[in-house]
Amino acid sequence: GLCRQIREYYDNGCHHWRLLVMLERLGYFEGSSQRLMEELELLCKEGACSPYLHLYQMLLLLQEPELLKKLDNSAIGALRFGLKHDLITEDLAIAVSFLAVRKKKCTPALLSVLQGCYEIYGSKDTLHSICALLIRTEKQDARYFKWFRLGVERRLRLTELFEYYMYAMDKGCYDEALPMVASYFQYENHLRDSVRSGFYASIVRNKERYPEYYQSYCEAIQEYTLRQLYEHRISPELAVLYKEYFTVDSCKDRIARELPGVLFVHRLHCENRNMERVVVVHDEGGGEMVYNLVNGEADISIGTENFKLYFIDKNGYYHGNTVSYQLTKILNLESMAQGCYENGSDNLVLLLYLFSETLKKKDIGAKDAILLHTMIRRQVPGMEYRQKTLLILYDYYKAIGEDLLLEEVIQ
């Protein structure tokens, strides 16, 4: 009688965990653990919140682990309760691991359950589930590196594990990790460019320590470096590769034409996020060079010491010295500049650099005169530098008796 009456209250809309507990204590669910579990899950879905719900779920799972058939909010809540109160058995940990492999979303709660299970039992299956879930949901933040590192160390057979290990790793750790990953990426290298450049730079930096890696990767690195140069890409990691493979002797043909595109790049960081663009103006001439700021940063080309930066805000207003910024030169290969010019490059920043360096000389030669005259003919220098250049050319042409060129300068 009492059991039936309580059930009527419960079925007629009085859904409360206390009534469900009373029914269970009165034996209503005896021999039907599945029904009780379903009722508990229904209460959770309806918004019921009580430790007793999770306690009962855990007691059922301890008796019959096979009742854990899905990892919904109700089950995860119960498992977190179980972890908090040391109720998770190894069988439950394994069941959670197998179910998690099929999950398409990685919620913080689910991840905390898996991590808790691994910290208790250290199961390879649980670690596999953690890494698989992180990879499937594209988690690449540094806070996940611990798990990818454990996966690599325990040699999990998992697609893209090594890639995500590198994605989550701090770039300062690449050298240390090199022996762990070098053999893998020799055959399966699907790293994105921003990470691949760091990996290759690590091989180059450590070529004396690990000559076998350098020898194995040398051809691939050279091909990659050329592709990056032809796309005018630059970063501190690529700078290591450019310094390694581009020499004065190799500065010919397309390399000579493309190298100036990265040779004078500086990375600018502007703390004022109201600024949208930055303008580079060289005193020597060349007009305005405008670059977009992305998250306060831009890679800008500066060819001479005599430059000014102007920042353009969201309203189109120009700002000068009132905006603070940091400027870092990425690549130091100015020794290649002359070779690039002599092998056909007409990059404007390159010409400005060579023009500025030539003006510093006490005496100029034939090659210098050709450069200065080229700049005049292209009308690159501003008035001040144009007059200075014409005077230098006048003295030079007069000294060597080049009457036709002298006449052109005078005109």
Side-chain angles (χ1 to χ4, degrees):
L2 179 59
C3 194
R4 179 178 57 79
Q5 191 174 6
I6 294 174
R7 184 68 201 192
E8 286 179 359
Y9 278 120
Y10 188 80
D11 289 339
N12 289 323
C14 190
H15 279 199
H16 198 282
W17 65 267
R18 287 191 179 91
L19 292 179
L20 198 62
V21 170
M22 291 173 66
L23 287 170
E24 190 276 331
R25 291 296 177 88
L26 290 170
Y28 181 81
F29 293 103
E30 188 173 350
S32 184
S33 300
Q34 181 64 46
R35 283 179 58 201
L36 177 56
M37 180 64 81
E38 290 172 356
E39 293 286 359
L40 291 167
E41 291 173 352
L42 181 61
L43 280 175
C44 288
K45 287 180 181 178
E46 291 176 348
C49 183
S50 171
Y52 280 102
L53 290 175
H54 295 325
L55 174 60
Y56 266 88
Q57 285 176 294
M58 278 306 306
L59 291 175
L60 288 171
L61 292 174
L62 289 172
Q63 295 171 6
E64 302 178 43
E66 62 273 13
L67 290 175
L68 185 63
K69 297 179 179 179
K70 56 186 177 180
L71 292 175
D72 56 8
N73 291 337
S74 174
I76 291 173
L79 291 166
R80 293 182 73 184
F81 177 90
L83 283 168
K84 184 177 180 180
H85 297 281
D86 298 325
L87 298 175
I88 300 294
T89 63
E90 190 168 4
D91 288 341
L92 267 180
I94 293 173
V96 170
S97 302
F98 283 120
L99 288 172
V101 169
R102 299 194 291 268
K103 295 290 286 184
K104 294 182 179 179
K105 284 188 176 183
C106 179
T107 64
L110 173 58
L111 191 58
S112 70
V113 169
L114 286 167
Q115 292 171 348
C117 290
Y118 182 80
E119 287 167 3
I120 296 172
Y121 297 107
S123 166
K124 197 171 182 179
D125 290 327
T126 304
L127 182 59
H128 185 280
S129 295
I130 293 172
C131 292
L133 191 60
L134 292 174
I135 292 170
R136 189 182 307 115
T137 53
E138 300 182 350
K139 304 295 185 184
Q140 302 175 7
D141 295 346
R143 65 177 179 269
Y144 303 117
F145 173 70
K146 167 188 175 181
W147 301 106
F148 296 129
R149 176 177 55 78
L150 285 170
V152 168
E153 289 175 353
R154 298 194 66 175
R155 301 183 182 278
L156 296 183
R157 299 178 65 84
L158 193 58
T159 303
E160 292 191 290
L161 173 61
F162 280 83
E163 284 81 355
Y164 275 78
Y165 171 63
M166 295 294 290
Y167 295 158
M169 184 188 300
D170 183 276
K171 289 184 178 181
C173 299
Y174 282 6
D175 292 359
E176 180 184 344
L178 200 55
M180 189 84 73
V181 299
S183 58
Y184 172 83
F185 288 119
Q186 186 176 349
Y187 304 102
E188 294 286 341
N189 195 335
H190 304 296
L191 291 169
R192 60 172 179 258
D193 282 339
S194 60
V195 177
R196 185 180 302 195
S197 60
F199 172 59
Y200 284 164
S202 177
I203 291 175
V204 169
R205 281 194 303 269
N206 292 276
K207 64 180 181 179
E208 294 184 2
R209 184 180 180 188
Y210 301 113
E212 66 275 19
Y213 300 153
Y214 185 80
Q215 184 177 359
S216 299
Y217 279 92
C218 189
E219 185 177 344
I221 296 176
Q222 285 180 318
E223 292 176 358
Y224 173 80
T225 303
L226 274 177
R227 288 199 307 272
Q228 299 304 299
L229 174 66
Y230 294 162
E231 294 176 10
H232 290 180
R233 293 182 177 175
I234 184 64
S235 67
E237 294 76 27
L238 284 173
V240 174
L241 304 184
Y242 292 157
K243 287 181 181 179
E244 177 71 13
Y245 292 108
F246 298 141
T247 63
V248 174
D249 292 334
S250 68
C251 189
K252 299 174 183 177
D253 303 321
R254 189 174 179 182
I255 292 176
R257 296 193 300 272
E258 304 288 358
L259 189 59
V262 299
L263 204 55
F264 304 98
V265 173
H266 295 65
R267 183 148 295 169
L268 178 140
H269 177 76
C270 174
E271 297 175 359
N272 189 335
R273 294 305 175 90
N274 289 321
M275 302 300 140
E276 289 192 336
R277 288 173 290 169
V278 60
V279 181
V280 181
V281 178
H282 295 89
D283 290 353
E284 291 82 355
E288 294 186 353
M289 301 177 186
V290 184
Y291 302 87
N292 291 323
L293 289 166
V294 179
N295 296 324
E297 292 190 339
D299 287 344
I300 63 177
S301 289
I302 301 174
T304 77
E305 300 172 354
N306 310 304
F307 69 92
K308 294 181 178 64
L309 297 184
Y310 300 95
F311 294 86
I312 305 176
D313 65 22
K314 296 177 180 179
N315 297 316
Y317 294 112
Y318 279 65
H319 302 262
N321 297 330
T322 58
V323 178
S324 61
Y325 62 88
Q326 292 85 43
L327 206 57
T328 306
K329 183 79 161 64
I330 299 180
L331 179 63
N332 294 297
L333 273 180
E334 284 79 359
S335 58
M336 307 277 285
Q338 187 66 38
C340 291
Y341 171 66
E342 292 176 358
N343 284 277
S345 176
D346 63 350
N347 179 279
L348 178 57
V349 181
L350 170 67
L351 294 177
L352 286 169
Y353 169 78
L354 294 173
F355 176 66
S356 177
E357 293 299 304
T358 301
L359 293 180
K360 296 176 184 177
K361 295 180 179 179
K362 184 176 180 180
D363 299 305
I364 67 170
K367 291 182 179 180
D368 299 323
I370 292 172
L371 171 66
L372 296 180
H373 212 137
T374 298
M375 297 294 278
I376 292 296
R377 286 169 175 164
R378 291 181 59 169
Q379 299 182 349
V380 173
M383 183 60 68
E384 177 187 349
Y385 281 87
R386 178 180 176 82
Q387 292 176 351
K388 184 176 181 179
T389 304
L390 288 172
L391 287 173
I392 293 173
L393 288 173
Y394 177 85
D395 292 340
Y396 176 75
Y397 290 145
K398 187 175 180 180
I400 65 173
E402 281 284 357
D403 295 338
L404 290 176
L405 293 174
L406 181 61
E407 183 179 348
E408 183 181 337
V409 168
I410 294 172
Q411 291 177 350

